[in-house]
Amino acid sequence: MKREIGTRTELHSEDENAIVVKNLHKSFRLPTEQAFGLKQAFFNRLKGIKGYKDQNVLQGLDFTIKKGEFVGIIGRNGSGKSTLLKILAGIYYPEKGEITVNGTLVPFIELGVGFNPDLTGRENVYLNGALLGFSNEEMDAMYDDIWEFAELRDFQDQKLKNYSSGMQVRLAFSIAIRARGDILLLDEVLAVGDAAFQEKCNNYFSSLHKKKQTVVLVTHSMTDVRKYCDRAILIENGKIIQNGDPKTVAKAYLNLLS
Amino acid sequence: MNIPRVLNRKNRILLKELTKTDFKLRYQGSVLGYLWALLRPLMMFAILYIVFAKLLKIGNDIPHYSVYLLCGITMWSFFTECTSQGIQAIVNRGDLLRKISFPKYIVVVSATLTAVINMLINVVVIIIFAFINGVDFSLSWLLAIPAIFELYILSLGIAFLLGSINVKYRDVTSIWDVLMQALFYAVPIIYPLSLVAETSVKAAKIILLNPIAQAIQDIRYNFITHETITAWNYITSPVVVVPIILTILTLIAGSMVFRKRSKFFAEEV
């Protein structure tokens, strides 16, 4: 079961590039039949069936993201955006190609990673914080701010299963925005909460933009792309089909849909 | 895998927090909570003690047999908990693996550390039992620590090795359950090794080549009574190092397989 593996390098240099991706390929092995068992694996081998088929998700991507750039990645469902983000984050391995990440990278593939319904809000805050790399002491220091921002102070000692889904997302978002890194990877995390909370999120993203924070944002919202992004990359069937001015690329995306 | 990165600050925080969560969740929603960490082995001990020591009258010739039995059961429970939790750790924590990037061994180690905490709590109980039973306190108790450590290394090796395979083939969990049922009888826990030695010296020696048996006997020897048969006082040939070598090899093999496979855990789990 040999598989080629590309390289992912992390460095901290003065170079103006934050992320460099060269000829990135990725395919997944999808089990054709139920192959989660020794019996099936054995019979498959006996019959000479591979038991899986290769799905080419990314087929040779090349792009560069400069420090301080806010880049949107757009594309239809299944085009490979999230896979790309996960490879950038180091969760999936690149199959072929080179990725260079320059600076500390903080990924948000999902809000509230590790949230456990059986733990209290307080316990979840510390757990989620640890997953973002914060120590107990650091969490102590920002604890009040987190609850203040989430507007959920009265619920901190309730178990998370008693929170509404909107409340959970608000809490998760309040923790997430404390994370500090040179590069932020965001996967469709803007659309949370009610109108008032949306306003807060908007402010957060505007502040990121103003601060010249390097951000890679995967989104379906062309409004956000036009509002925050300096550049947009359109992916279709695992290939980059446009890379440039957000307004032009957003238009190309909308054309693709119609 | 370079050492500074293995134990850097971020990974230490993560390990600590995941272990804490594991431990908290284990007894969530039960009335007696953490007490179950103590009660489970004590109840198993009570059952085995009544059946084997009282009804079948096994082990009457061993001093402090009840402590001897409790000690064996505790260490066996430690081994089973460590391995079964460790093997399932990757699958259980699949949601984390798919969403953040961190060294995967942390989830396995944190699952086994919960077993270590449970074991330590139980050691306190054994010590109390030992005092009640009139076992003399001695500095040789400290010599039991390397044997406990050996048991942990072995468990960790098995958890890494089988846990990696379990990601793709979930059968491993079931196979390991059955295997442990069998192993339980291959290790002198409920029967004293001296009983086997009376009928067949060779069988007793073979039993002692199993690292689990060797470690448990070492712990008993240092902790309870020097009348315990151990690999060191029973096997005279160089073969005596076999259990130690097996333990080390298991850890090496486990780490190697784990390192190779862990790249694909996020996709396969």
Side-chain angles (χ1 to χ4, degrees), chain B residues 86-108:
Chain B
I87 289 171
Q88 288 182 56
I90 295 291
V91 173
N92 286 347
R93 289 277 180 198
D95 60 324
L96 289 190
L97 264 58
R98 261 180 266 122
K99 281 153 204 163
I100 53 172
S101 157
F102 63 101
K104 316 287 184 266
Y105 70 88
I106 288 182
V107 289
V108 178

Side-chain angles (χ1 to χ4, degrees), chain B residues 18-19 43-44 81 114 118 126 145 148 178 181 203 212 268:
Chain B
L18 285 180
T19 309
M43 284 175 168
M44 189 174 165
E81 196 186 337
T114 312
N118 278 336
I126 302 176
I145 294 173
I148 296 178
V178 176
Q181 291 287 331
I212 312 165
E268 287 172 350

Side-chain angles (χ1 to χ4, degrees), chain B residues 213-233:
Chain B
Q214 172 257 316
I216 289 182
Q217 290 300 91
D218 277 4
I219 296 166
R220 284 166 160 172
Y221 176 89
N222 290 306
F223 188 60
I224 298 159
T225 167
H226 281 12
E227 281 172 44
T228 312
I229 298 176
T230 69
W232 317 104
N233 64 23

Side-chain angles (χ1 to χ4, degrees), chain B residues 41-102:
Chain B
L42 275 181
M43 284 175 168
M44 189 174 165
F45 159 74
I47 296 166
L48 294 175
Y49 184 72
I50 291 167
V51 173
F52 288 92
K54 290 291 163 213
L55 297 179
L56 295 175
K57 306 224 185 297
I58 290 174
N60 284 345
D61 49 338
I62 292 183
H64 316 295
Y65 185 67
S66 59
V67 190
Y68 191 86
L69 184 60
L70 180 63
C71 177
I73 292 168
T74 303
M75 291 305 151
W76 173 257
S77 309
F78 168 56
F79 174 74
T80 54
E81 196 186 337
C82 230
T83 50
S84 56
Q85 296 294 333
I87 289 171
Q88 288 182 56
I90 295 291
V91 173
N92 286 347
R93 289 277 180 198
D95 60 324
L96 289 190
L97 264 58
R98 261 180 266 122
K99 281 153 204 163
I100 53 172
S101 157
F102 63 101

Side-chain angles (χ1 to χ4, degrees), chain A residues 72-88:
Chain A
I73 293 181
I74 54 182
R76 290 194 282 187
N77 285 333
S79 57
K81 309 180 295 288
S82 294
T83 304
L84 170 62
L85 211 59
K86 284 189 172 181
I87 293 174
L88 291 180

Side-chain angles (χ1 to χ4, degrees), chain B residues 12-49:
Chain B
R12 277 201 316 268
I13 295 171
L14 201 54
L15 182 61
K16 197 178 123 199
E17 202 61 35
L18 285 180
T19 309
K20 235 164 75 184
T21 311
D22 265 352
F23 195 74
K24 260 189 249 168
L25 287 173
R26 185 78 54 93
Y27 303 104
Q28 261 304 327
S30 62
V31 181
L32 296 176
Y34 299 132
L35 263 183
W36 279 114
L38 291 177
L39 285 176
R40 255 196 345 227
L42 275 181
M43 284 175 168
M44 189 174 165
F45 159 74
I47 296 166
L48 294 175
Y49 184 72

Side-chain angles (χ1 to χ4, degrees), chain B residues 115-147:
Chain B
V116 172
I117 296 170
N118 278 336
M119 183 267 293
L120 290 178
I121 294 172
N122 280 299
V123 166
V124 176
V125 178
I126 302 176
I127 290 175
I128 294 169
F129 253 69
F131 270 121
I132 296 169
N133 259 275
V135 176
D136 293 323
F137 174 80
S138 102
L139 274 179
S140 90
W141 283 15
L142 294 176
L143 292 174
I145 294 173

